[in-house]
Amino acid sequence: AAQRTIHVAAAEVSRDRLNDLERARRHFAEILDSDPENLTALESLDGLYTSLERWDSLLEILSRRSDLAASDEDRRGLLLRSAAVWRDRLSRPDEAIADLEQVLALYATDAEAISALDALYTTTGRWPDLADLIARRLAASEDREEQVGLQYRLGQLRASHLGDARGALEAYQTVLYLDAGHGPVVAELEAYLD
């Protein structure tokens, strides 16, 4: 415990007074070596690795913090940060997707995770996953206008990327049931019939 107190003091002086982030990092890492669940060291290393742009090390710390999170809301925030690092800093969409899917396992209708997954599924061409995500959003939606937009997207996705003409027609029928004058669906159906 005394050794840990010395490392904490040395790390804080290194970081806050000397602006020696690398030395502070070494001290906080020493603390973790003897106490792998030390939240002070984990939080401090989180900030240091972010400042030092050591993304792989940051991801390891975020994962450890997520495993130790006191609440689902804390875990959600850490997973969202991790996903952003995977996506934005390391260009590794599959790992970002895995973290975002963990967020949805905690909160099935999390808007931030859904939006990020929608974009990642689209850019990576994971069409069946995108169709499932849209279907989940439809099941949770109570807004008629949103349902129309989602059904239309689902129809387009089924027609363009999944080779599911029957499924596309079913989605388009639902759009017309909800909004009989939906111009884009009418145009799609006319083009299909020509």
Side-chain angles (χ1 to χ4, degrees):
Q3 187 75 7
R4 184 172 47 226
T5 303
I6 292 169
H7 278 297
V8 168
E12 289 174 349
V13 167
S14 297
R15 180 189 61 204
D16 301 335
R17 299 232 167 116
L18 302 175
N19 200 29
D20 187 343
L21 301 184
E22 184 55 36
R23 180 180 289 174
R25 184 207 61 79
R26 285 194 306 269
H27 284 293
F28 284 121
E30 287 286 331
I31 295 167
L32 281 188
D33 287 343
S34 64
D35 182 7
E37 296 183 2
N38 186 290
L39 294 179
T40 300
L42 287 167
E43 290 170 5
S44 296
L45 284 169
D46 180 329
L48 288 168
Y49 287 139
T50 301
S51 296
L52 293 167
E53 298 184 357
R54 291 190 184 172
W55 307 122
D56 289 325
S57 297
L58 175 61
L59 287 165
E60 180 183 328
I61 294 298
L62 290 173
S63 176
R64 289 169 77 174
R65 289 187 64 203
S66 176
D67 291 343
L68 298 170
S71 70
D72 285 347
E73 188 59 32
D74 290 345
R75 186 161 191 256
R76 172 196 174 272
L78 293 162
L79 287 166
L80 288 171
R81 285 187 56 216
S82 178
V85 171
W86 284 118
R87 180 190 63 220
D88 302 335
R89 301 297 184 171
L90 299 176
S91 300
R92 304 226 348 232
D94 290 335
E95 288 82 354
I97 287 169
D99 283 344
L100 293 166
E101 288 174 342
Q102 287 184 59
V103 172
L104 287 188
L106 296 171
Y107 299 102
T109 59
D110 188 281
E112 191 173 349
I114 287 170
S115 176
L117 277 171
D118 189 309
L120 285 166
Y121 287 155
T122 300
T123 58
T124 58
R126 289 176 60 167
W127 308 123
D129 291 328
L130 181 58
D132 290 343
L133 183 68
I134 293 171
R136 285 176 68 174
R137 289 179 64 192
L138 273 165
S141 177
E142 295 180 10
D143 179 70
R144 188 179 187 103
E145 191 174 317
E146 180 184 33
Q147 290 172 356
V148 168
L150 290 170
Q151 283 288 358
Y152 179 62
R153 277 189 70 205
L154 188 57
Q156 288 182 306
L157 180 61
R158 287 175 173 166
S160 303
H161 298 290
L162 298 175
D164 181 7
R166 168 176 257 141
L169 287 174
E170 288 172 3
Y172 291 152
Q173 283 177 324
T174 303
V175 169
L176 292 177
Y177 172 77
L178 295 169
D179 179 5
H182 193 273
V185 165
V186 171
E188 294 265 348
L189 292 173
E190 286 175 350
Y192 182 74
L193 294 174
D194 284 341

